Amino acid sequence: MVKPAPKIDERTAAYIAKQVQDLLLTYAPEWQEFELDPVTGNRKAKGISAAVIGVFARFAEIIIQRLNQVPDKNFLAFLNLLGASRLPPQPARVPLTFFLTAGSTVDALVPNGTQVAAPPVEGQSEPIIFETERELVVTSAQLESIFVRDPEQDTWSDHSTWLTPNNSTPGFVFRGDRPIEHSLYLACDDLFTLAVPSKTVTLTIQSSEAGKLAKLPLIWSYWSGKDWQPLAVTPSPPTEQQWQISIANCPVSVKRALDGIAASWIKVQLNPPLPSGSTLLPSITAISASVHVQRDNLLPDLAFNNSLPLDLTKDFY
C-alpha cells in the first residue's frame, strides 16, 4: 500500500465558511445578516450572505483539493524522468491448495488450465472462475518432520511437534535452539584395539591446509561403551601437506554401530562451533594410521639347535 503524500492545506468548505464569517464580524462590524444557531449558540450567515459565503467556500475547497494533488503530480513527473511506467492490467491471482482423496496411495496430476470456482462477490450471482497457470503434481508424501538450520548462528532446531494439531508453541521459525555438532568419526580396526601394555597410534592427515587444520580447537574422544571419554593426543608440528597426531597407550574402544557400521570409534569434534559467517573448513585428502607396539621379556614359541628342538624352560647354548 502506497503511503499518501501529506496535504498542503487540510481546510474544508465548512471550515472556510466559518473563517469568512469570523473575518466579516471582525473587519465589517456593520454586517448584520446572521443569526444564532440554537444548537451551538454560534453565529451563522443567513439569506444572500449565506449563499455567497457557501459558494466562495466551495470554490476555495476545490482549489485546495487541486493544490493537495501537487505532490502526487511532482512524484509522477519524477517517475517519468526515471523512465518508470505503470504496470499493465493483470488478472487476479489466488493461492490454491489441492488434496488427494482419502485413502489414495498414488500421486495425482492437476493439468494446466484446471478451472476452479470461487463464491460470487457481493452484488453478483455468477461465481468467479480461476484457472491454474501451470500443471501441479499432488504427491502422496506426508510431512513427518520439520528441522531448521540457522547457518549464521551455527545452530539447528527440531519443530516436528508443530505437525501435531493444537500442539504448536510460539517461537521463532527460522532460529536454531541448539548448536550444530561438527565431528569427524574414525572407525578403528583391530590393531587399534590390541590389549597390550604399551602401544602408540599415529594418525597422518594429508591436507593442503595442514597449518590451518592444526590451529582448529579440536576435542578428541573415544567410545567407552556408555559415553565419549576424553582422549589425550600429542600433535606434531604440521608441514605443508600433512599433520600427525600421536595417541600414546590408546585405550581399547568398545564397538558401537554408527550409520550401520559396527566398529571401535574415535571422535574428533570442533569446539566451540563455527563463528558467524565462517563456513569454510580445511579440506582433508587422506588419513592413514599406524600402530607401534612395544613388548619386553617375550619367550619364543619354538627353538631348534640344528634339527633338535630345545627345552625353553632350561638354559641352553
Side-chain angles (χ1 to χ4, degrees):
M1 180 177 180
V2 180
K3 186 177 181 180
K7 293 183 178 180
I8 300 176
D9 194 338
E10 297 184 351
R11 292 181 298 172
T12 61
Y15 185 85
I16 295 174
K18 184 179 181 304
Q19 265 189 322
V20 173
Q21 294 180 42
D22 293 340
L23 292 173
L24 284 173
L25 292 173
T26 302
Y27 295 102
E30 66 277 5
W31 177 66
Q32 298 295 327
E33 197 173 358
F34 61 85
E35 61 183 357
L36 295 177
D37 190 339
V39 178
T40 62
N42 298 328
R43 297 175 181 181
K44 64 178 182 178
K46 66 177 181 178
I48 297 177
S49 295
V52 174
I53 292 174
V55 171
F56 172 79
R58 175 56 184 155
F59 275 103
E61 184 182 46
I62 293 174
I63 295 175
I64 290 175
Q65 290 175 351
R66 297 290 182 89
L67 180 64
N68 288 333
Q69 293 177 358
V70 170
D72 293 332
K73 181 179 179 181
N74 291 338
F75 181 64
L76 291 177
F78 174 71
L79 294 180
N80 290 333
L81 181 63
L82 296 179
S85 60
R86 294 178 179 269
L87 293 175
Q90 297 181 355
R93 285 179 169 83
V94 62
L96 296 176
T97 303
F98 292 88
F99 297 93
L100 293 174
T101 57
S104 177
T105 58
V106 296
D107 299 341
L109 176 66
V110 180
N112 178 25
T114 301
Q115 293 188 346
V116 180
V121 297
E122 183 179 357
Q124 296 183 359
S125 59
E126 297 295 330
I128 302 176
I129 304 300
F130 289 89
E131 290 186 357
T132 56
E133 295 181 330
R134 60 183 66 90
E135 67 178 23
L136 169 70
V137 176
V138 184
T139 177
S140 59
Q142 299 293 324
L143 186 61
E144 297 291 342
S145 302
I146 300 178
F147 295 97
V148 175
R149 178 175 176 264
D150 186 357
E152 289 296 328
Q153 303 299 326
D154 197 36
T155 55
W156 71 283
S157 57
D158 184 359
H159 295 318
S160 301
T161 56
W162 291 1
L163 298 176
T164 306
N166 302 324
N167 196 30
S168 60
T169 56
F172 293 97
V173 177
F174 298 107
R175 179 177 296 179
D177 57 8
R178 65 199 75 177
I180 298 176
E181 179 185 355
H182 299 280
S183 298
L184 174 65
Y185 292 87
L186 302 175
C188 307
D189 58 16
D190 294 337
L191 291 178
F192 279 50
T193 57
L194 287 176
V196 294
S198 177
K199 65 178 178 181
T200 301
V201 176
T202 301
L203 298 176
T204 302
I205 303 174
Q206 303 291 339
S207 173
S208 59
E209 302 172 284
K212 183 178 179 181
L213 181 64
K215 295 179 181 179
L216 292 177
L218 302 177
I219 296 178
W220 296 74
S221 57
Y222 71 98
W223 181 250
S224 66
K226 295 182 179 180
D227 53 10
W228 294 98
Q229 295 293 329
L231 187 62
V233 299
T234 303
S236 301
T239 63
E240 293 185 0
Q241 298 294 329
Q242 70 178 21
W243 183 40
Q244 285 191 337
I245 300 294
S246 299
I247 308 173
N249 300 322
C250 183
V252 178
S253 176
V254 179
K255 288 190 175 183
R256 178 187 179 184
L258 287 179
D259 198 22
I261 301 176
S264 299
W265 296 94
I266 290 179
K267 182 173 74 170
V268 189
Q269 183 175 357
L270 181 64
N271 188 43
L274 292 175
S276 178
S278 176
T279 57
L280 297 179
L281 291 173
S283 59
I284 297 175
T285 56
I287 299 178
S288 59
S290 61
V291 180
H292 176 74
V293 178
Q294 180 178 353
R295 298 185 66 179
D296 299 327
N297 300 322
L298 294 178
L299 293 176
D301 294 331
L302 296 173
F304 293 87
N305 180 15
N306 293 331
S307 60
L308 298 177
L310 299 177
D311 186 358
L312 301 180
T313 61
K314 301 177 181 180
D315 297 336
F316 59 89
Y317 290 103

